Amino acid sequence: MGAESWAGIGPAIASLFFLYPMVKNYIPPQLRDYVAVVFQKVLFFIRPYTDITIQEYRGERMKRDELYTAAQAYLSSTCSSRAGKLKAELGRDSDTPLVTIGDNEKVPDSFKGVKVWWYAGARSPKSQTISFYPGEEESKYYCLTFHKDHRNLVEGEYLKHVLRQGRNVTLQRRQRRLFTNSPSRHGYKSSVWSHVAFEHPATFDTVAMDPEKKREIIDDLVTFREGKEYYKQIGKAWKRGYLLYGPPGTGKSTMIAAIANFLEYDVYDLELTAVKTNTELRKIFIETTGKSIIVIEDIDCSLDLTGKRKEKKKEKDDEEKEMKLPGMEERDDNSKVTLSGLLNFIDGLWSACGGERIVIFTTNHLEKLDPALIRRGRMDMHIELSYCTFEAFKVLAKNYLGVENHDLFETIQTLLCEVDITPADVAEGLILKKSRNKDVGACLKNLIRMIEVAKEEAKKKAEEEEAAKQKEEKPKIEEQLATTV
């Protein structure tokens, strides 16, 4: 149809809109609905555009529609610069105001060469009664308008693009959270997780460890974050397991915080002793979200998951029966989470519910863990966090004192090669508590004194252990000599 034809149809459409309200009062009541339907069909065939309405709240009323939220975030990042009126609001899980197009504002957008228009509208309530449900007092919506010829593109690709981009904007703006699971309770409970804002300041720049090992971890995290299609291609759930092991004070919790800040993920700190059954463990996992880190710290202490567990439990039950007094009620306060239940949680069928999750175990005693729990494929990367090396010390010196070199560094390097000391202890030694002004030399001398004391204590302890060992072995040697004679 040419431009002249559309030029003639335009005034005709305008005339219909103008005349219909005037003549509808003269139409018999029994015919008004029929005429209204015919009028809408005529407009549908004449008007070359289609509208899609996205309501703020779903039919459940209490839940905000995710597509509406995504559209709001998308318009904020893409189209708000073209709007004459703007509005700002602060989301529940965000610490940054979202500025998007204002009510009754219309803005254009384009996708693959196709032009569309977004309109932010609001409908007044039908009744004047006060409602306790969101969306009843004022119904907000977005209206997406586009040419009929592009309906397949808009419905098939553009709305998915809006949803994907809107989710990314929301994730970038949100306040990340630290979750913990609550002990099992009877009665109504809205969620098994409670949370606080996650504000740990640790980054990979402040983590004290060998730079090459740090780079290896960062590269692995980047590969995981960008590997959605790869994991789908090889048929594996989009998750990865990390085992952090080493003596206390070597920075395992700090490493978890640095990973979370690097990936911008939420953290779920799972307390296994508060979980009573495998079924409850699965329910807890279902309520975690994507882009998250599930942490079980001190896995060797959380539950006795070795093969001797049943024997220990039987011995404990026998002891309790012997000590039980008349009238004493039996208690069932032991967790029944099994090793197989935990393994299914890590990499079984339930682990594929959702995606982009990292599972992290920490332990101070690697040798105590069941090999099935930490094999490759479950804990994909084993990261040893050891005693402080000179390279780790230089990171701490830069963080705490702002120096990268000093005359005393050589002395400290020699001492660190002679004694095992944790990064936490080194960091404590770099803090000179009696002086507000940071005297670099004084702080380093304080650290040297602390390491020398630790060296003497380690030497004394080793001598005591050697003496105890010789004392224990002396009777055995004498017995062997007597037998020989």
Side-chain angles (χ1 to χ4, degrees), residues 394-448:
K394 289 195 292 184
V395 175
L396 292 171
K398 184 178 180 181
N399 293 341
Y400 282 78
L401 306 177
V403 295
E404 298 184 9
N405 199 7
H406 194 276
D407 294 339
L408 295 174
F409 273 23
E410 186 175 349
T411 302
I412 294 172
Q413 182 177 12
T414 302
L415 287 171
L416 289 176
C417 293
E418 297 173 349
V419 63
D420 290 335
I421 187 169
T422 66
D425 290 333
V426 172
E428 184 66 20
L430 291 174
I431 300 175
L432 195 61
K433 301 178 180 64
K434 295 182 180 180
S435 175
R436 291 187 179 181
N437 297 321
K438 288 186 178 180
D439 183 339
V440 174
C443 288
L444 293 176
K445 289 177 182 178
N446 181 63
L447 174 62
I448 290 172

